[in-house]
Every structure is written in structure tokens, then in C-alpha cells.
Amino acid sequence: MKTNWIAVDWGTTNFRAFLMRHDAPLAELHQPCGLLSVEHQRFAATLQTLLAPWLQAYGALPIVMAGMVGSQQGWFDVPYAPLPAGMDDLLARLFAFTTPWGSPAWIVPGINGRSHYGLPDVMRGEEVQLLGLHALQPTAEHDVLLPGTHCKHARMIKGEIVHFSTFMTGELFSLLSQHSILGRDLPAQQDDDAAFLAGVRTASLGAPFSHLIFSARTRRLAGELPEPYIHSYLSGLTIGYELLALTPGQHVWVIGSPALTTRYRMAGRQMCLELHPVEGNLCFIRGLSELFLRLQGATS
Amino acid sequence: MKTNWIAVDWGTTNFRAFLMRHDAPLAELHQPCGLLSVEHQRFAATLQTLLAPWLQAYGALPIVMAGMVGSQQGWFDVPYAPLPAGMDDLLARLFAFTTPWGSPAWIVPGINGRSHYGLPDVMRGEEVQLLGLHALQPTAEHDVLLPGTHCKHARMIKGEIVHFSTFMTGELFSLLSQHSILGRDLPAQQDDDAAFLAGVRTASLGAPFSHLIFSARTRRLAGELPEPYIHSYLSGLTIGYELLALTPGQHVWVIGSPALTTRYRMAGRQMCLELHPVEGNLCFIRGLSELFLRLQGATS
């Protein structure tokens, strides 16, 4: 039986939903209505408003959600699944409830555990994209990079996430370009590939991060780096520094928007890394479909 | 002949001056009148106002200045001395002028060159403290750490600065505690040595910086780190990360205020580093006195 349902990725700053039929998206909705914009815990009312057209057309459809909606700052604080975690572990820990308007609803748990470096780490939302990648590209092992504000480097064996590490690359770029001395008194910025790649090359030298970034100031002082390209250079520094964690020659999937994966691939080529892009929405939809269809199989 | 003169450390955010007799300070002045607070390039008028009591008492005393006052954003853009640089190089490149009220005045050049990691680097002001340390502790070699917003790690051989590297430790701490997700929604913060040392220990594991700092979030989420101590933990992370650049067992001088050097020594003990504190003002006064007395010897 082909069922309609709704897939939701509800993060801190963005809300994305897909009206689904079986495992295929029929329509998409994208609003800047992240959890930070929800006042007085009005999660149910906000969701009902956002999904109103679909609920009116199809009734109280099942809704499966992932992302920060299941965090301490979200709708329900859904306990993390511990590493290693695969499809069955996430299914076993799905948080199920019924919305005020009668939709059966589920929130996918995040995952916690020790990173590759032995530090405590957490993810919420990326686990769905990782399951999706495994369904789309079913190989025995996957090394995966998910770029963003808080990038994740994950390793999967037979579709099970065995460990992952967070890199605050996107947030550090924002802090340095917007709030530090490196970004002070800059003219309007332009994207420049040469400045970006100069940043990547400089990062490849392996200097400590807190020293590395000062080169955005000294190269500017020395007139080596045109002022409109400082952000491009800083982007190259921060992404290049992150990519030092990978091994040259390693085959790594990069899940994200084309804009981000293109930038990572450009940096990767400079560093002799094979980065293979996969579209982020595709992975999310596929991962959540796998979960929903397994859930349906289990309950029908 | 014992001469009176004025030693000035004029930085981006602070102004510090010493009324000197030969190499001894008679009085000290400290104002938050850094270069950023000087409007419309009124450097001469600002300096005259700040020093008015001494100028009225002693006349148009000689004034020797160091710090960002000699930068692009300062009073005069004094060209850097290139590495390696010692007393003679700084003397040869002193920028001399006469103030509108008739004081003979000099600005010490900063130093530029390649860091230990091969990146372009600059300092302005710290070179005076380094010369002062060599005069106070005349050994053949000095490894020196100068903590602050932009920390410097310098190496001197026979009183000559052979290389140095900047670490943006202080600025990164401010960015992370004030503007990042790691510092969001925190209660009033308290200094806590245990949290600081936990940060140092975590940094010692050697994880990449952009991964390391995320532990301030995950340990908080896991309830391992009390919320009033997050800043102490972040301070330990950033200082510990910087100290990884030193070699265990290495004898390193730390020039700074007692508050800062105490914190660095606490971190250093945890990491088996021998850090020897020297008071920053003492080094500054001694370094600038060496320069001024040599200058006097040359011109009298």
C-alpha cells in the first residue's frame, strides 16, 4: 500500500518538510522557522500552521521528524542512541506521540558517544542522512563528511555508525569573519577561488589553528591578500584545517548542498583527497523513508 | 648624568606611561586610552593631555614609545625591522620626531618575519619586553611566551629575536565565550580551577581545535561540566591548546601580569612544562631603558 506521510527536518534555524508518497517526495516546504523562532514552546501550533495546506488536503498524515526538534531546546528531549548505532537502534528509540490534531508522530533520536579523538560528541539529524547514504550507496564501509555550522566526520560499517567527530568549522568561520580583528574594517567581500585555495594551501602546512588564522591579518598587512577576498581566504583556512583530519587518498562521501560540497571538493583536490558529493536532501528523504517504511512494516 | 624621560606603551586598547629617571620608574600612569579611542588622528593632543602633569613639572622630556602607536592604525606607520632582530636593529630603525610642544620623541619599530611554522608574522611592543628579559636574565638562549589577546612565542639567541609565532588565544577565548553557541544562555560565571584544568587535560589529548572546543557543549549537555564553570573550561581548552606548541621539559619564560602568568603556570604544570614568570611591566621598562640609554650614549 502506498501511503502519504510527512518528513520533517526541524533544526535550530531552519524548517524543511516534504510531503511524501511512499519513498518519493511530492512537495517541499522550506521556512526559516527554526526552533529558536518558536516562542513559549508553541511547537504543536507552529507545526500545524506550517503544514496546514497538506493537513487540509490529506487529513492527519503521519509525521516523522529529525533534528534539534528532539533536543533539550526542542519540542521533546529525546534521549540519544549510543554508538555504535544503526537503523534498528534508531527504530528502537524512536519517540512516538500523537499531535493535538491527531497525526501519529515520531521523532528520531540523535546519537552520542566518543569521537575519533576520545571526546564526548553528539549529533541530531545527520544520522538520518547517514542512513540514507547507506541505502543509496550500499557499500561495506563509508567515511562521510557532513559540512555545515557544526560539521560531522562519520564512519559507518555495514550501515552502522561506529564513530563520528564534530568540527565547528562553519561557526568558527562566522566568528572570525564577523567578530574578530581579522574581519574588522573590511570592504564588501567577493568570492575568490584563488584566495580560497591560498587559504587551503596555508592550512595544509599544519600550523596550530590559533596561529594559522593570524595569517589572515599578516597577509593583509603585507599587501599579499586583497581586502575584498579576506572572507574567501578565511573560508579556505577553516575548511583546509578541517580536511587535515582526513587521510590523503581516502574515499570520502560529502553530504550537503551543492554550494557547500563544491567548495569542499575544491579544497579536497588541493589536498589530494577524493571527496564524492551526495545531495543532502536526497539522503535525508531516503534515510527517513527507510525508517518510516520499516516502522510501517512493523506496525501494519 | 641621570636623565628624566618618559616611557610609553601605547596599544590598541590601553595607554601606559612611566616617568623615568635613568632606568628607574618614578611614577606610572595607566589609562584605557588606546589608539581606538583617539578620534580624528589627534595623537599629539591626546598624548600631551595624558602626560600634562609630568610635562608641566619637568618640561619637554624625551619620550620613547612602543606598541601599536607605530602601526598603520597608529600615529606613524613605522616600518617593521625584519628577523633576526636585536637591540642594534631596533635602534637603527627607531622613528625619531619632535612633538608639537618640543619633546624629542622616538617610536620603536615592530618586527616581522616568518613564524616557526613558515607563516608571515608580526609583533609591535613585545620586542621591547623581550629585550628587557634578556637584560634582566642574560642567558645565551631564551624561549619566551607572552600571553594576551594575541600571544607570542619567541626564541632569542644572544639577545637577538630569531623567530616568533602569534597565537590568537585570548581573542579566540573571547569569541567562543561571548559570541558562539558554547557561551549561549550561561548563568553568571565563576573561576574554577578544576574546570580550568579539565580543559587543559582535554586539550592535551591533541584533538584539532575546531573539534576540541565542541567538548564545551557536549560536556555541558552530559551534565559533566557545571554551567557556571564553562568559561573556566574554555580558558583551559584554549590555553592548553596553545601550550601544545611547547616541548615538555623545555624551560620557557612567561612575560605578563601575575594574573595571566599564574594561569599559564597552572596549565603548564599539568602539561609537564617549566614556565618561569617575569613581570611584564618590569621587562617593558628595562627594555625601553636599554634602548633609551644606548640612544643617549650615541647622541651625547
Side-chain angles (χ1 to χ4, degrees), chain A residues 152-188:
Chain A
K152 308 289 179 187
H153 292 195
R155 180 159 178 73
M156 277 193 291
I157 297 180
K158 295 181 186 164
E160 196 174 63
I161 302 162
V162 291
H163 63 67
F164 64 91
S165 310
T166 301
F167 291 78
M168 290 179 64
T169 306
E171 183 157 5
L172 281 168
F173 170 76
S174 298
L175 292 171
L176 296 175
S177 55
Q178 289 167 33
H179 297 288
S180 85
I181 193 175
L182 306 178
R184 199 177 287 162
D185 299 327
L186 286 182

Side-chain angles (χ1 to χ4, degrees), chain A residues 247-250 267-274:
Chain A
T247 309
Q250 196 181 359
R269 270 193 298 274
Q270 176 89 51
M271 297 173 72
C272 302
L273 297 168
E274 284 184 62

Side-chain angles (χ1 to χ4, degrees), chain B residues 147-165:
Chain B
T149 306
H150 298 164
C151 309
K152 309 288 179 190
H153 292 196
R155 179 157 180 76
M156 276 193 292
I157 298 181
K158 296 181 186 164
E160 195 174 63
I161 302 162
V162 292
H163 64 66
F164 64 91
S165 310

Side-chain angles (χ1 to χ4, degrees), chain B residues 2-281:
Chain B
K2 301 278 187 188
T3 317
N4 287 101
W5 58 289
I6 297 172
V8 172
D9 178 10
W10 205 349
T12 306
T13 48
N14 281 292
F15 175 92
R16 200 181 292 269
F18 303 89
L19 174 63
M20 303 290 299
R21 182 163 177 79
H22 197 70
D23 62 356
L26 304 179
E28 180 179 346
L29 182 70
H30 184 199
Q31 296 281 351
C33 297
L35 298 160
L36 286 180
S37 69
V38 177
E39 289 184 346
H40 309 299
Q41 310 278 312
R42 300 182 73 253
F43 298 105
T46 303
L47 185 64
Q48 192 174 16
T49 305
L50 287 164
L51 301 181
W54 299 344
L55 297 175
Q56 280 157 21
Y58 295 88
L61 291 177
I63 302 171
V64 190
M65 292 181 272
M68 293 299 280
V69 63
S71 72
Q72 277 175 16
Q73 289 77 44
W75 193 347
F76 294 100
D77 186 4
V78 181
Y80 294 102
L83 282 179
M87 176 71 77
D88 292 338
D89 304 292
L90 295 179
L91 275 171
R93 289 167 184 266
L94 275 183
F95 178 82
F97 65 108
T98 305
T99 67
W101 62 90
S103 280
W106 294 267
I107 297 177
V108 181
I111 300 181
N112 68 5
R114 292 275 151 184
S115 76
H116 178 62
Y117 305 90
L119 301 183
D121 216 326
V122 294
M123 63 165 57
R124 280 205 193 268
E126 294 90 348
E127 68 283 355
V128 172
Q129 293 181 306
L130 289 167
L131 293 184
L133 173 69
H134 179 253
L136 290 165
Q137 304 280 353
T139 58
E141 299 188 1
H142 295 83
D143 287 302
V144 194
L145 193 159
L146 300 106
T149 306
H150 298 164
C151 309
K152 309 288 179 190
H153 292 196
R155 179 157 180 76
M156 276 193 292
I157 298 181
K158 296 181 186 164
E160 195 174 63
I161 302 162
V162 292
H163 64 66
F164 64 91
S165 310
T166 301
F167 290 78
M168 291 180 64
T169 306
E171 183 157 3
L172 280 168
F173 170 76
S174 298
L175 292 172
L176 295 175
S177 56
Q178 289 166 36
H179 297 287
S180 85
I181 193 175
L182 306 177
R184 198 177 287 162
D185 299 327
L186 288 181
Q189 294 293 294
Q190 301 164 30
D191 272 348
D192 183 75
D193 287 353
F196 174 76
L197 290 172
V200 173
R201 265 195 309 278
T202 304
S204 312
L205 298 175
F209 186 80
S210 47
H211 173 58
L212 172 67
I213 53 178
F214 196 60
S215 68
R217 179 163 173 76
T218 52
R219 287 208 205 279
R220 179 182 174 189
L221 280 172
E224 291 174 23
L225 182 64
E227 298 207 329
Y229 304 157
I230 300 272
H231 284 196
S232 289
Y233 180 75
L234 275 174
S235 175
L237 285 184
T238 49
I239 291 176
Y241 181 80
E242 180 194 337
L243 293 181
L244 280 179
L246 304 180
T247 310
Q250 195 181 359
H251 180 296
V252 179
W253 299 98
V254 185
I255 299 179
S257 66
L260 260 180
T261 56
T262 301
R263 190 158 266 239
Y264 268 75
R265 290 185 78 197
M266 201 195 300
R269 270 193 297 275
Q270 176 89 50
M271 296 172 71
C272 302
L273 296 168
E274 284 185 62
L275 304 184
H276 301 266
V278 201
E279 218 278 313
N281 280 347

Side-chain angles (χ1 to χ4, degrees), chain A residues 245-273:
Chain A
L246 304 182
T247 309
Q250 196 181 359
H251 180 297
V252 179
W253 299 98
V254 186
I255 299 179
S257 66
L260 259 180
T261 56
T262 301
R263 189 157 268 238
Y264 268 76
R265 289 186 79 196
M266 201 195 304
R269 270 193 298 274
Q270 176 89 51
M271 297 173 72
C272 302
L273 297 168

Side-chain angles (χ1 to χ4, degrees), chain A residues 56-130:
Chain A
Q56 280 157 22
Y58 295 88
L61 291 177
I63 301 172
V64 191
M65 293 181 273
M68 294 298 281
V69 63
S71 72
Q72 275 174 17
Q73 289 78 43
W75 193 347
F76 294 99
D77 187 2
V78 181
Y80 293 102
L83 282 178
M87 176 72 75
D88 293 337
D89 305 291
L90 295 179
L91 275 171
R93 288 165 184 266
L94 275 183
F95 178 81
F97 64 108
T98 304
T99 66
W101 62 90
S103 281
W106 295 268
I107 297 177
V108 181
I111 300 181
N112 68 4
R114 292 276 149 182
S115 77
H116 178 62
Y117 305 90
L119 302 181
D121 216 325
V122 294
M123 64 165 58
R124 279 203 194 270
E126 294 90 347
E127 68 284 354
V128 173
Q129 293 181 306
L130 289 167

